[in-house]
Amino acid sequence: MKRPSGISLKEVCKRYGTPANSVHALDGVSFTIEPAMSVAVTGPSGCGKSTLLGVIAGLETPTSGSVSVGGRTISDLAERERALIRRHEFGLVFQADNLLPYLTALENVAQQLSMQPRPEDGERSLAMLACLGLADESGRLPDQLSGGQRQRVALARALVHRPRLILADEPTGSLDAASSELVIDLLLTAQRETSTTLVVATHDADLARRLDRTIRLTDGRVVEGRTVPSVLDGKASGA
C-alpha cells in the first residue's frame, strides 16, 4: 500500500493579472496537513478554495511561496514531473465529472491505469465500480448515466490506482441530497480504509463536520481552522 502524503504550504501567493488590476486568489497561505488526515477547505465563493486545490495538485504554480506534497516541493517541478505525480499518486475529483464521453464507465475508470497497464486492470476497475454500486452500469456511456452515477464513476476513477492523496473540489455541488450523501459516504469510507490523505473544498457544513480538520479561507487568506481532538488523538496513539 502506498504511504499517504503530507502537505505543507509556506507563504503561498497566487496572483492573476487582469486588464484592470491584479487579483490575489491566494495571499500568504501557510499550513501543514499531516499524512492520512481528512481536511475540509471552506469559505465563500471566490475565496480561493479551487485555486488552493489547484496549487496542491500541481495544476497551477504559485506566484510565490512553496508547496510540498509527500516531502517533495512540487511547486519547483516542471509540468511534466507534476503531471506524472498527479497520474500515479493523486486522485482528483471535481464538481464536473470530466468523464470522456466516448468511453464506457469501465473504460473511463481503467483509463487511469493506462500508463502502466497490467492484465488485472480490467478486473480492478470493475471491482471498484462494483464497490460503488455500478457493476451493472459498467458498459454504459456517460450520457446514459444519471448525474449521481457519473460522479460515482469519477470517484471510482480517482480511487482505482490507490492514490496517496485525494483532492476533491466541490464533489457534491451539482448533486441532489441523496446522491450527495452517497458520494460523501463512499469518499470517506475509501479514505479511512486506505488511510489516504483527503482534502475537500466544500460549501457543505455537514460534510466539513465529518472531517478531521477545517481550514477556512476568506479573500485568499486562512482565517481559522478546527481540529477534532478525539480523531487526532486516536491517530496519534496509533502512530
Side-chain angles (χ1 to χ4, degrees), residues 70 85 97 133 149 187 227:
I85 291 172
D97 54 67
Q149 289 172 329
L187 190 61
T227 58

Side-chain angles (χ1 to χ4, degrees), residues 44-237:
S45 296
C47 70
K49 298 190 299 296
S50 294
T51 302
L52 178 60
L53 261 64
V55 298
I56 294 174
L59 293 167
E60 302 185 60
T61 55
T63 306
S64 60
S66 66
V67 180
S68 297
V69 180
R72 291 167 295 187
T73 306
I74 64 168
S75 53
D76 289 345
L77 299 179
E79 167 55 26
R80 182 178 181 277
E81 295 174 287
R82 299 198 306 270
L84 286 173
I85 291 172
R86 281 196 302 273
R87 186 67 184 254
H88 294 292
E89 301 184 21
F90 295 175
L92 306 181
V93 185
F94 301 98
Q95 182 172 345
D97 54 67
N98 295 324
L99 300 178
L100 296 175
Y102 49 85
L103 297 182
T104 66
L106 179 60
E107 290 167 340
N108 266 283
V109 176
Q111 198 235 2
Q112 177 65 55
L113 303 171
S114 62
M115 285 191 69
Q116 292 181 319
R118 291 173 292 185
E120 67 271 20
D121 286 351
E123 292 182 6
R124 186 197 298 185
S125 299
L126 185 58
M128 181 62 67
L129 286 172
C131 287
L132 299 176
L134 292 170
D136 292 340
E137 316 299 334
S138 62
R140 293 182 179 272
L141 295 172
D143 64 3
Q144 297 172 314
L145 302 173
S146 69
Q149 289 172 329
R150 290 168 62 104
Q151 192 65 312
R152 278 184 279 161
V153 173
L155 182 56
R157 181 183 58 190
L159 299 177
V160 70
H161 59 305
R162 302 185 182 99
R164 300 172 63 184
L165 169 64
I166 302 169
L167 298 169
D169 190 0
E170 298 287 359
T172 62
S174 60
L175 303 180
D176 59 34
S179 296
S180 294
E181 186 173 0
L182 178 58
V183 167
I184 291 167
D185 288 343
L186 294 169
L187 190 61
L188 292 176
T189 296
Q191 186 264 333
R192 287 165 182 161
E193 286 183 349
T194 60
S195 296
T196 302
T197 308
L198 170 65
V199 183
V200 183
T202 183
H203 286 95
D204 189 335
D206 291 333
L207 168 57
R209 280 191 288 268
R210 295 177 65 182
L211 305 188
D212 298 338
R213 177 183 175 191
T214 296
I215 295 172
R216 182 171 176 81
L217 296 180
T218 297
D219 296 330
R221 298 181 179 181
V222 175
V223 293
E224 62 182 76
R226 174 189 64 83
T227 58
V228 181
S230 60
V231 175
L232 297 182
D233 290 345
K235 287 183 177 177
S237 63

